[in-house]
Amino acid sequence: MIGGTGTISSAITRLLAAAGHDLWLLNRGNRHDEVPAGVHQLIADISDETKVLQLLGDEYFDAVCEFIGFLPSQVERDIRLFTGRTRQYVYISSASAYHKPASSHLITEGTTLANPYWQYSRDKIACEELLLKAHREQGFPMTIVRPSHTYCERGVPVSVHGLKGSWQVLRRMLDGKPVIVQGDGSSLWTLTWNEDFARGFIGLLGNPKAIGEAFQIMSDESLTWNQVYQAVADALGVPFKPYYVASEFLAAVSPREWDFTGNLLGDKAVTVVFDCTKLKRAVPGFCATTRFHEGVRRCIDYLWAHPECQVEDPEFDAWCDRVIEAQEAAKNSISY
């Protein structure tokens, strides 16, 4: 596993290790304390091909899973490194690669890939195209996996937040302040607990039905953003006070580095419902069992127990106040 300690991959690491698999992680070793006992660690920067080849030696792997490949050049590197070294290469792409807005809210693996709003998504599409070409022309044994919004106990998933994560949104709730929600909060979204995702992902490893194919792995639970934020407020034990702002306006007035154009217009502002029938045919019995109201309570419990995760973001907090003040002023200036 290239990575292996992130939001998505950490759960896969834990489950594979617990099942007794011979698991290797290739990463920089920044989260060494979180790696389960018995897991081999190769400490290196994956971009240093010479060092990686030295560490790999003559090893041959049943599967190589790439969790931190974002650019076509990185996928080209992986093809060089692992051609002839693995029976299966699994690439983590993104459901944000699907066309925005799609012609139908029901998304399958056959939905067109095109995202005019987000370079991140276009890069993922380019990576997929490279892998498909390598599979067709060289027989490279690739599998593509497209997750949507997968979360774990380390952070509460919300749609509008600053660079320091979601804590400041929770802080606003706790302080009785309004929380900005894009649109009117009625668009549908899917949130998947990382251990549920991991079970579907592991079912594709060594699976002959997965070679040359793409799969999306998500929960079947679809929630409006109002329901998402209400569940967060309920877990905190406070009222939910939404303040609705158009996604286009948020993208126009936010700092460029927050990239609300991509994150909102290219992803979270659009209603999507994912059909995981293809995955369930390849991995019989797969079912995501963690409902969001359960998962978010685990997140809140973790935050209370880990104060270091409660990262204040005064810049985002002040920006929220300015946006609300500006919209209220606009209302008042044209009210009859």
Side-chain angles (χ1 to χ4, degrees), residues 153 155-156 167 170 231-237 294-306 310:
E153 69 279 358
V156 175
W167 170 252
L170 276 61
V232 175
D234 289 345
L236 291 170
E294 301 166 354
V296 73
R297 290 182 184 277
R298 297 177 193 172
C299 295
I300 298 297
D301 289 344
Y302 185 90
L303 284 175
W304 290 143
H306 294 80
Q310 301 171 23

Side-chain angles (χ1 to χ4, degrees), residues 10-321:
S10 59
I12 300 169
T13 294
R14 289 195 301 270
L15 292 181
L16 286 173
H21 290 281
D22 186 16
L23 179 62
W24 299 61
L25 302 188
L26 173 59
N27 57 40
R28 296 179 180 180
N30 294 332
R31 291 177 171 168
H32 178 76
D33 293 343
E34 300 179 24
V35 177
V39 174
H40 308 280
Q41 275 203 280
L42 304 177
I43 307 300
D45 183 336
I46 182 65
S47 64
D48 185 347
E49 292 185 48
T50 301
K51 174 77 175 293
V52 171
L53 284 172
Q54 290 174 347
L55 291 174
L56 291 175
D58 297 327
E59 293 291 343
Y60 186 88
F61 300 93
D62 294 310
V64 171
C65 307
E66 171 62 272
F67 293 92
I68 53 174
F70 304 102
L71 299 172
S73 60
Q74 295 168 331
V75 168
E76 290 173 338
R77 173 206 64 212
D78 286 356
I79 293 172
R80 288 194 301 270
L81 283 172
F82 295 107
T83 293
R85 288 178 174 270
T86 184
R87 294 183 178 88
Q88 183 184 24
Y89 172 91
V90 186
Y91 177 70
I92 295 289
S93 184
S94 170
S96 70
Y98 291 121
H99 196 279
K100 299 294 185 300
S103 58
S104 170
H105 73 283
L106 187 62
I107 305 299
T108 72
E109 287 83 356
T111 298
T112 300
L113 302 182
N115 192 325
Y117 299 105
W118 208 358
Q119 185 61 46
Y120 164 82
S121 306
R122 293 193 292 273
D123 288 338
K124 287 289 191 179
I125 294 169
C127 290
E128 289 197 24
E129 290 172 346
L130 276 173
L131 287 169
L132 287 167
K133 184 174 186 293
H135 177 66
R136 287 193 302 266
E137 297 180 0
Q138 306 165 33
F140 189 67
M142 65 84 190
T143 298
I144 293 167
V145 173
R146 300 182 188 130
S148 184
H149 199 157
T150 307
Y151 69 107
C152 69
E153 69 279 358
R154 296 174 186 164
V156 175
V158 295
S159 55
V160 181
H161 61 81
L163 293 179
K164 296 182 179 180
S166 60
W167 170 252
Q168 196 63 47
V169 178
L170 276 61
R171 185 71 264 170
R172 290 181 68 87
M173 287 184 172
L174 291 165
D175 292 342
K177 300 177 73 173
V179 173
I180 292 177
V181 180
Q182 77 277 9
D184 63 359
S186 65
S187 58
L188 290 171
W189 194 243
T190 300
L191 295 157
T192 306
W193 184 247
N194 67 343
E195 290 182 352
D196 287 333
F197 178 93
R199 285 189 285 271
F201 184 91
I202 290 171
L204 295 174
L205 299 182
N207 188 331
K209 294 181 179 179
I211 303 300
E213 298 290 337
F215 296 87
Q216 53 193 25
I217 305 176
M218 295 89 174
S219 169
D220 290 325
E221 180 183 43
S222 296
L223 300 170
T224 68
W225 279 107
N226 283 327
Q227 291 171 324
V228 171
Y229 276 89
Q230 185 65 63
V232 175
D234 289 345
L236 291 170
V238 298
F240 170 39
K241 298 179 180 179
Y243 190 87
Y244 301 113
V245 183
S247 298
E248 291 82 359
F249 185 80
L250 293 173
V253 302
S254 63
R256 181 176 298 179
E257 61 269 23
W258 295 3
D259 197 12
F260 283 170
T261 298
N263 275 296
L264 293 181
L265 301 180
D267 201 24
K268 297 178 179 65
V270 183
T271 282
V272 287
V273 176
F274 296 100
D275 181 350
C276 290
T277 299
K278 182 178 180 180
L279 174 70
K280 293 174 182 177
R281 285 199 300 263
V283 186
F286 169 75
C287 180
T289 59
T290 305
R291 301 188 59 137
F292 182 64
H293 76 275
E294 301 166 354
V296 73
R297 290 182 184 277
R298 297 177 193 172
C299 295
I300 298 297
D301 289 344
Y302 185 90
L303 284 175
W304 290 143
H306 294 80
E308 69 275 11
C309 296
Q310 301 171 23
V311 181
E312 302 285 343
D313 192 347
E315 180 186 5
F316 173 75
D317 194 51
W319 176 84
C320 290
D321 291 338

